[in-house]
Amino acid sequence: MDGAGGPGEGPAQEALQSLSQRLQVQEKEMELVKAALAEALRLLRLQAPPTSLRDSGIPAPTRNSSPAAPPGLPPTCSPSLVSRGTQTEAEVEMEPSPGPPGLSNGPPAPQGGSEEPSGTQSEGGGSSSSGTGSPGPPGILRLMQPPQRADTPRRNSSSSSSPSERPRQKLSRKAASSANLLLRSGSTESRGGKDPLCSPGGPGSRRSNYNLEGISVKMFLRGRPITMYIPSGIRSLEELPSGPPPETLSLDWVYGYRGRDSRSNLFVLRSGEVVYFIACVVVLYRPGGGPGGPGGGGQRHYRGHTDCVRCLAVHPDGVRVASGQTAGVDKDGKPLQPVVHVWDSETLLKLQEIGLGAFERGVGALAFSVADQGAFLCVVDDSNEHMLSVWDCSRGTKLAEIKSTNDSVLAVGFSPRDSSCIVTSGKSHVHFWNWSGGAGVPGNGTLTRKQGVFGKYKKPKFIPCFVFLPDGDILTGDSEGNILTWGRSLSDSRTPGRGGAKETYGIVAQAHAHEGSIFALCLRRDGTVLSGGGRDRRLVQWGPGLVALQEAEIPEHFGAVRAIAEGLGSELLVGTTKNALLRGDLAQGFSPVIQGHTDELWGLCTHPFQNRFLTCGHDRQLCLWDGEGHALAWSIDLKETGLCADFHPSGAVVAVGLNTGRWLVLDTETREIVSDVTDGNEQLSVVRYSPDGLYLAIGSHDNMIYIYSVSSDGAKSSRFGRCVGHSSFITHLDWSKDGNFIMSNSGDYEILYWDVAGGCKLLRNRYESRDREWATYTCVLGFHVYGVWPDGSDGTDINSLCRSHNERVVAVADDFCKVHLFQYPCARAKAPSLVYGGHGSHVTSVRFTHDDSHLVSLGGKDASIFQWRVLGAGGAGPAPATPSRTPSLSPASSLDV
């Protein structure tokens, strides 16, 4: 008997000891809960009249107030009421979690309408199938709803409670609500002036549950609720900072030049500054010797335009500049009309706004008159008829207008000898216009057209450029590579013409100058002419009679010649079709002074301890930029579209995510690829090293986050695990400061947390992560940044977000071409911001440099890179942007308060 009973006594004894230990733990928990209740009642007595407790129905605390519990469990704790907040099966054991002094467990989870539906794992609107149950705060009673009547079903209601359990549940709810009062301020002002015990709404009301519990807020994107838990250190939302940040931004440098798809975009001013444009900014660049360092020059910027600039013209005085913009829409969908700005290049002040409401689609080409000291401005718009108009520059009035042609117009100019002669060229045409001013009376002027006759010469498909010679002849460059000389000749009766003119322009000479199209012609001060070729990338200098004198070839990686301007002495400036600006001469060759990307940009990361940053995009180029020298350090061809990048904390390597599921690790010094890995076959949206450099997280459009262990130098990596649980593609992620946890956002507005060091586990109890500190904050959804979202947002209005390293400000890139600067944390609805324009497309990414001295922003389709200087409170610099005050610009979210 003894021998038979021995083996059974061991397991029984262990089970008994386990139950005894569990009972001791639960008894300690109950003592703490009772202490918390007593403290809550004490606070209520101090802040409310003596009758308030009786009126509110809260029973007086008694030692035996808890209902009976099953054997082996402490009072008020039953298996169906206890949860560890992990969306697993109900367990008897309760775990302590950090809380206020005197309270071991955290506050209870929101009930009724503030709880998420069963199966929801994230704080966002998405749900996942890998778990059941609704997560809540750790170690807290998961309070059961009382049985509902059949005619009034409510969400999260329970039908399994027996009548004997109802009093216990009712008392448990009261106890939990009372205990929670310890976490919030006792003042009704901190809760919006509402009595926390008498808030309107039933048990299922989100508003009621927020005011009662006070542990979370909700915002809505596309009607989806996104729950965010309030950190324990914040007692009231009113104590959070309000108002715009004291820091401001000043545009320091613009990388890039719009040569890919525009003309009339490069000139030299009287001051020696080079003027060109990109996005909505007209750049005035001082070559060499400027604040940018050796060879870097300096920049000033005219930022008066509201949409992309398409063309430029410089006044004969070399000071005034006219710039024309395209049409667009603002963030509310209202049209932004094309317009021409005439402004002073010395003061950067706008002198005249011409043609607001008179142009369609955009301003395609413009030119100042020369013979009368720039009194008139000729403009061609981008409408179907390409309306040609002449304007009085001083008054801003229209003197004459006519339909030009249905074909594209690529260039326009006044004759330098006679302002009544205007020339336009474009698709299959050269037109010579005679203009009579109508005594300066607005609208009384007339324009008559004389069509250029090609006669025996082949009519080209395009005539992109022309230039006036001192003797009155005109040279045109065409898509056949020919330079044609046009001169006046008597009209033949068989020659088609308009306006009954007795003279017309005809071709008097032809020279084959280039293989492929001629994109630019430039008349030099010595009377010679420069031509720039497209396909052959040659610059050729021509003497009298179109005799070639000298030539040079532009390197292939810079692209074809787009524009030519003459600088000081023999110096030339050349704009290229790959958005580069070159400086040099025909004898010594050319070197780049401004470079940029040529297609949509998405990837951006800043160096961990140098003033450098890296960009990549749809042009398949990976570029490392020197933020101090304002120059391109190096670039390589990725062969595929680069969408995201991040530096290893050592700065020795950088990881780049591509659109095919591949990701590369490159040595930043040698530019060699040290690792090439593929995870899935969908695009990668984010790569991020942990702050200690031991892990690399890769967010993919296949809804997974791949985790890799990384060597100390970052060169080697091995698969550590996968974070599986998102129900949509990954958009953003951040590491905790200890390098053990990840916060991630997805395309369906989920906010999930992951224990990477613990095996890439999903933390189903998100409440436990409310106080976790994050090494970076780039997730666009989270309690600390929900105030950046504008009213009525569809969830895609914010593309990127970045918290400064000193954790004082948050920069936001939106879908409406703007960069915003908010205070951090930004956890109040309608948080005001400083708004900065300049980009001509959706801003895809923003990042602070390692010392927070600069902010870098990327334009999407405008392929621009802006480097902003961060100015502290009271710092010197231009006047700060006006704080956003209108509802359309004031970030706001629907709060459940």
Side-chain angles (χ1 to χ4, degrees):
M1 293 291 293
D2 292 341
E9 290 178 357
Q13 186 67 22
E14 292 177 0
L16 184 60
Q17 291 177 354
S18 176
L19 288 174
S20 177
Q21 293 174 357
R22 187 175 301 174
L23 181 59
Q24 292 176 3
V25 172
Q26 292 173 345
E27 287 175 349
K28 292 179 181 179
E29 295 286 344
M30 289 309 303
E31 290 298 326
L32 292 171
V33 172
K34 290 177 182 178
L37 288 172
E39 180 67 13
L41 292 170
R42 185 184 68 81
L43 291 175
L44 286 174
R45 290 191 189 98
L46 292 175
Q47 299 177 10
T51 58
S52 62
L53 291 178
R54 291 193 298 270
D55 295 341
S56 63
I58 296 182
T62 61
R63 186 174 297 276
N64 298 321
S65 60
S66 298
L73 289 178
T76 74
C77 293
S78 67
S80 62
L81 296 179
V82 180
S83 170
R84 300 176 63 180
T86 56
Q87 289 189 323
T88 57
E89 297 179 1
E91 299 180 20
V92 177
E93 182 181 5
M94 297 180 66
E95 288 185 356
S97 69
L103 185 61
S104 173
N105 295 316
Q111 302 172 27
S114 67
E115 260 189 19
E116 297 172 357
S118 176
T120 301
Q121 299 176 342
S122 68
E123 295 184 26
S127 63
S128 181
S129 60
S130 61
T132 59
S134 179
I140 292 302
L141 303 181
R142 298 293 295 149
L143 305 178
M144 306 284 291
Q145 295 285 355
Q148 306 297 317
R149 291 178 295 183
D151 58 342
T152 57
R154 291 194 296 184
R155 191 175 64 172
N156 294 335
S157 62
S158 172
S159 60
S160 61
S161 302
S162 63
S164 64
E165 291 176 330
R166 294 173 189 170
R168 180 188 311 157
Q169 294 169 355
K170 183 176 181 181
L171 186 56
S172 299
R173 286 195 299 275
K174 291 182 179 179
S177 298
S178 299
N180 184 58
L181 292 175
L182 286 174
L183 299 182
R184 313 306 297 163
S185 170
S187 170
T188 57
E189 293 180 358
S190 67
R191 288 180 284 272
K194 299 179 181 178
D195 186 345
L197 299 178
C198 304
S199 296
S205 167
R206 297 189 181 100
R207 181 183 300 274
S208 172
N209 275 288
Y210 172 77
N211 286 328
L212 283 172
E213 306 298 345
I215 64 170
S216 67
V217 293
K218 273 190 175 67
M219 63 177 286
F220 293 84
L221 292 176
R222 288 188 173 178
R224 288 183 167 185
I226 301 174
T227 304
M228 294 160 287
Y229 291 108
I230 302 173
S232 61
I234 299 177
R235 297 181 59 85
S236 168
L237 295 180
E238 298 301 321
E239 68 188 33
L240 296 174
S242 61
E247 291 82 0
T248 60
L249 299 179
S250 172
L251 186 57
D252 181 43
W253 197 266
V254 176
Y255 298 85
Y257 150 84
R258 187 166 181 169
R260 176 187 52 175
D261 60 353
S262 66
R263 295 168 176 81
S264 300
N265 57 11
L266 182 64
F267 298 91
V268 177
L269 302 175
R270 186 179 67 184
S271 63
E273 291 176 301
V274 181
V275 58
Y276 60 94
F277 59 82
I278 182 171
C280 305
V281 177
V282 182
V283 181
L284 293 88
Y285 168 67
R286 293 190 305 276
Q299 284 186 355
R300 296 188 298 139
H301 310 96
Y302 176 75
R303 297 170 56 198
H305 287 282
T306 57
D307 215 296
C308 288
V309 182
R310 294 303 307 272
C311 53
L312 285 177
V314 175
H315 194 275
D317 63 12
V319 175
R320 282 176 281 179
V321 178
S323 49
Q325 75 174 50
T326 188
V329 294
D330 64 11
K331 66 176 301 178
D332 297 321
K334 297 179 181 178
L336 297 174
Q337 296 177 323
V339 68
V340 174
H341 287 188
V342 179
W343 46 279
D344 190 313
S345 63
E346 294 179 348
T347 64
L348 299 181
L349 295 178
K350 182 170 63 176
L351 305 176
Q352 193 68 254
E353 193 173 79
I354 292 178
L356 183 64
F359 309 128
E360 292 185 22
R361 298 183 184 170
V363 179
L366 44 79
F368 282 103
S369 61
V370 179
D372 46 24
Q373 302 304 310
F376 306 108
L377 182 71
C378 183
V379 183
V380 180
D381 72 6
D382 285 333
S383 64
N384 290 337
E385 295 83 12
H386 296 95
M387 300 298 295
L388 173 67
S389 54
V390 179
W391 299 76
D392 186 317
C393 291
S394 60
R395 301 177 183 177
T397 55
K398 182 166 58 178
L399 303 177
E401 184 179 41
I402 192 172
K403 293 180 179 180
S404 170
T405 175
N406 289 333
D407 294 324
S408 300
V409 177
L410 304 178
V412 64
F414 283 92
S415 169
R417 303 174 64 182
D418 181 7
S419 293
S420 66
C421 177
I422 300 173
V423 178
T424 61
S425 69
K427 183 179 180 180
S428 300
H429 76 270
V430 177
H431 290 163
F432 305 92
W433 301 86
N434 185 55
W435 169 59
S436 60
V441 179
N444 280 2
T446 59
L447 284 161
T448 56
R449 185 179 70 182
K450 305 172 187 177
Q451 186 167 337
V453 180
F454 288 90
K456 63 180 181 179
Y457 299 95
K458 180 181 179 181
K459 188 175 185 180
K461 183 176 291 187
F462 289 97
I463 300 96
C465 54
F466 62 84
V467 66
F468 290 94
L469 296 178
D471 60 3
D473 287 347
I474 300 171
L475 299 183
T476 61
D478 61 38
S479 55
E480 302 295 323
N482 296 323
I483 296 178
L484 302 178
T485 304
W486 297 77
R488 290 179 181 269
S489 61
L490 293 176
S491 175
D492 189 283
S493 60
R494 294 169 297 178
T495 301
R498 298 194 180 185
K502 295 182 179 180
E503 287 186 336
T504 186
Y505 278 86
I507 301 173
V508 296
Q510 172 181 291
H512 186 69
H514 294 270
E515 296 298 327
S517 182
I518 300 174
F519 285 161
L521 291 172
C522 174
L523 178 66
R524 304 194 69 174
R525 289 185 290 267
D526 61 5
T528 61
V529 175
L530 290 170
S531 63
R535 186 185 306 169
D536 61 12
R537 307 184 313 281
R538 290 166 55 236
L539 273 174
V540 183
Q541 182 178 12
W542 303 89
L546 292 180
V547 176
L549 302 178
Q550 196 174 7
E551 69 175 68
E553 185 174 332
I554 301 300
E556 183 177 2
H557 60 275
F558 292 130
V561 177
R562 175 63 76 191
I564 309 169
E566 189 176 20
L568 300 176
S570 63
E571 182 181 86
L572 297 174
L573 292 125
V574 179
T576 73
T577 56
K578 289 192 175 180
N579 294 353
L581 185 60
L582 311 180
R583 179 186 179 195
D585 57 42
L586 295 176
Q588 303 296 325
F590 294 86
S591 59
V593 291
I594 299 292
Q595 291 178 267
H597 285 270
T598 59
D599 208 341
E600 189 169 356
L601 292 175
W602 281 95
L604 169 65
C605 63
T606 54
H607 197 279
F609 50 84
Q610 295 179 2
N611 202 1
R612 292 186 163 200
F613 58 92
L614 188 141
T615 58
C616 57
H618 289 198
D619 62 358
R620 304 182 178 184
Q621 295 295 310
L622 179 69
C623 298
L624 179 66
W625 304 90
D626 180 359
E628 294 182 357
H630 301 143
L632 178 66
W634 54 256
S635 67
I636 64 170
D637 188 356
L638 294 173
K639 308 298 183 182
E640 296 177 12
T641 298
L643 297 177
C644 51
D646 193 39
F647 279 100
H648 187 269
S650 68
V653 297
V654 63
V656 183
L658 308 179
N659 67 332
T660 57
R662 288 178 61 212
W663 57 274
L664 311 174
V665 178
L666 295 94
D667 187 300
T668 55
E669 292 297 328
T670 65
R671 312 176 210 173
E672 294 179 355
I673 296 176
V674 298
S675 182
D676 186 341
V677 184
T678 299
D679 284 310
N681 56 5
E682 298 196 41
Q683 70 183 52
L684 304 180
S685 50
V686 56
V687 294
R688 187 86 69 237
Y689 283 100
S690 62
D692 53 15
L694 299 180
Y695 296 106
L696 173 64
I698 301 162
S700 172
H701 271 227
D702 64 7
N703 306 354
M704 297 182 188
I705 302 175
Y706 299 90
I707 307 296
Y708 282 79
S709 297
V710 181
S711 61
S712 58
D713 60 357
K716 297 180 180 180
S717 59
S718 59
R719 173 76 73 85
F720 179 80
R722 294 186 307 172
C723 297
V724 181
H726 272 293
S727 52
S728 185
F729 56 91
I730 313 301
T731 58
H732 307 82
L733 65 84
D734 291 292
W735 285 91
S736 61
K737 289 186 176 180
D738 60 13
N740 294 329
F741 300 91
I742 282 178
M743 169 175 58
S744 58
N745 292 169
S746 62
D748 58 352
Y749 323 127
E750 286 181 320
I751 309 173
L752 295 186
Y753 302 92
W754 311 87
D755 181 359
V756 175
C760 302
K761 295 178 182 178
L762 173 64
L763 298 177
R764 303 183 190 279
N765 190 349
R766 301 173 312 282
Y767 179 82
E768 289 182 342
S769 298
R770 73 193 189 283
D771 291 328
R772 189 159 285 124
E773 295 184 345
W774 302 102
T776 59
Y777 213 119
T778 61
C779 286
V780 298
L781 297 173
F783 172 80
H784 294 83
V785 297
Y786 77 86
V788 307
W789 286 88
D791 284 324
S793 175
D794 66 354
T796 63
D797 294 338
I798 293 179
N799 298 314
S800 178
L801 176 151
C802 184
R803 181 192 67 192
S804 62
H805 297 88
N806 60 19
E807 302 186 12
R808 294 184 55 180
V809 293
V810 171
V812 171
D814 72 14
D815 234 16
F816 310 105
C817 315
K818 297 294 188 291
V819 174
H820 298 253
L821 204 62
F822 294 86
Q823 284 204 70
Y824 179 86
C826 185
R828 299 184 66 172
K830 300 185 182 296
S833 68
L834 301 178
V835 185
Y836 299 89
H839 285 290
S841 177
H842 53 288
V843 187
T844 56
S845 188
V846 286
R847 290 293 182 270
F848 286 96
T849 55
H850 71 100
D851 57 359
D852 292 331
S853 62
H854 292 83
L855 175 75
V856 181
S857 61
L858 300 185
K861 292 186 178 299
D862 64 22
S864 64
I865 305 171
F866 286 10
Q867 181 174 308
W868 307 83
R869 185 179 299 277
V870 181
L871 304 177
T882 303
S884 171
R885 297 294 184 189
T886 61
S888 62
L889 292 178
S890 298
S893 304
S894 299
L895 271 184
D896 226 0
V897 295

